[in-house]
Amino acid sequence: MRFILFTQFMIVSAVACLASCKAIETPVKTYSAYSSSACKVPDLPDIDRLPVIKELPNPFLGLNGKIIKSKKDWACRRSEIGAQAQAYELGAKPTAPETVKAELQGENLVVTVADKGKSISFTAKITYPKAGKAPYPAVIGMGGSWINNEELAKQGVAVIQFPNNDIAEQLNGSSRGKGKFFELYGADHSAGALMAWAWGVSRLIDGLEKTPSSQINSNRLGITGCSRNGKGALVAGAFDERIRLTIPQESGSGGSASWRLSDDQKASGQNVQTLAQIVTENVWFSDSFKRFGQSANSLPFDHHSLMGMLAPRGLLVIENTSMEWLGNRSAYTASLAAREIWRAQGIEGNFGFSQLGGHNHCQLPAAQVPEVNAFVQKFLLDDSKANTVIFKSDQEFKFDKDAWISWKTPNLH
């Protein structure tokens, strides 16, 4: 009964908004050029017209008020979530620019992007493995990789260091509008640093595709990052389908944790980063996102759905139970909800979650190395026998399903 009432409420809200809600600057026309769906997203309501949703929003409920039924429907639903994330949280991702050129200089790939009469260049360092065979699969490190690069090299996987701070600064709140992305698109562009980085990663991939001499297989790419850069890795993976595997490491709030659940964890007396705090700390999100500072329950999506944008591709979430600030319980519960999106498509093994404490921030424990290796083998080395059915934590978190998930997981055919 609760589910029926919730669905009816969303149908009424969606219909009413299509008729009368004030539209915001909808990024549907600038949505990632690499979306597999040609789905048209309707105008989205202004923040003041968004309904309060205390539970984790239903990722399977379309903006038309209907529950999706097929994998094809998921491709369209993915576009809707992406448009909402851009409109309310991340800012718009510009479409592919007019020109992208790349030149290999030693082990550095210099990428030059030109658009609307302006141009910028950035350099990504490639570390090649001694094992394996060219063209090599590669993991892009958002500001670097902390998932044991020696192990990647042993498997014949290159590591590419993406200079995210060069693309968009993230020193503190004064970094808004600074960096090469904003030199190209203007300091007042709606994108926060995370989306600016995602745009830059897409341009890096463009450059790799145009430069066979790089000896990188652009069809076998993963991305990772830790902490704030883990948030960026998740967003980059969500908004470019050419990335086969995404491994956000200890990304916490704004990454694998849920805004709603982090608020709940904070309310229980724990020291957890929340939406209200994060928008005052740095410029990772669009400037308008601060309007949700006291109303995270008004967001029409949450980060279980943002993680779900990667489905059916590979996602391995690495978290740290010792880091309360990251929202350890929040990330655990949000990942349980996100896993349902892969389950709905019969590919639960493409989603993994591993949470282990007792170590420093961004230090990958030895026990998690085989899990990373398994996902690399499956998605970058095409080893179909790799076991990627992973969901574990070294801490028992109480999960009140009735409080957070009022929806059912469909069987998408």
Side-chain angles (χ1 to χ4, degrees), residues 96-140:
E98 294 167 2
T99 61
V100 178
K101 298 179 181 180
E103 180 184 5
L104 190 67
Q105 298 179 0
E107 292 190 341
N108 294 322
L109 187 72
V110 180
V111 180
T112 300
V113 183
D115 203 13
K116 298 177 174 57
K118 298 180 180 180
S119 68
I120 59 101
S121 295
F122 64 87
T123 301
K125 179 178 174 55
I126 303 174
T127 301
Y128 293 95
K130 293 183 179 179
K133 183 179 179 181
Y136 302 102
V139 170
I140 300 168

Side-chain angles (χ1 to χ4, degrees), residues 10-49:
M10 289 304 293
I11 292 173
V12 171
S13 298
V15 173
C17 280
L18 288 174
S20 62
C21 284
K22 176 184 176 184
I24 65 171
E25 180 187 352
T26 306
V28 61
K29 293 182 180 179
T30 58
Y31 184 67
S32 170
Y34 302 100
S35 173
S36 62
S37 172
C39 174
K40 291 185 178 180
V41 179
D43 287 347
L44 302 176
D46 185 72
I47 293 172
D48 296 335
R49 300 292 189 98

Side-chain angles (χ1 to χ4, degrees), residues 220 244-245 313-314 350 375-382:
R220 295 289 183 272
R244 293 171 60 93
L245 172 62
R313 293 171 290 139
N350 288 7
F375 271 81
V376 167
Q377 289 159 12
K378 180 173 182 176
F379 291 97
L380 302 187
L381 300 173
D382 288 333

Side-chain angles (χ1 to χ4, degrees), residues 180-200:
K180 291 184 175 179
F181 173 90
F182 299 101
E183 291 176 15
L184 198 61
Y185 293 111
D188 60 348
H189 193 279
S190 67
L194 300 184
M195 186 56 85
W197 301 342
W199 171 90

Side-chain angles (χ1 to χ4, degrees), residues 18-97:
L18 288 174
S20 62
C21 284
K22 176 184 176 184
I24 65 171
E25 180 187 352
T26 306
V28 61
K29 293 182 180 179
T30 58
Y31 184 67
S32 170
Y34 302 100
S35 173
S36 62
S37 172
C39 174
K40 291 185 178 180
V41 179
D43 287 347
L44 302 176
D46 185 72
I47 293 172
D48 296 335
R49 300 292 189 98
L50 292 170
V52 171
I53 307 172
K54 294 182 179 180
E55 308 95 342
L56 292 175
N58 187 346
F60 305 108
L61 181 65
L63 293 181
N64 62 0
K66 297 180 180 180
I67 301 296
I68 63 173
K69 297 180 179 180
S70 69
K71 295 176 183 177
K72 182 178 179 180
D73 290 341
W74 172 250
C76 183
R77 180 70 187 118
R78 178 185 180 275
S79 291
E80 293 179 343
I81 295 168
Q84 290 175 326
Q86 290 177 86
Y88 300 122
E89 179 179 319
L90 300 169
K93 181 182 180 183
T95 51

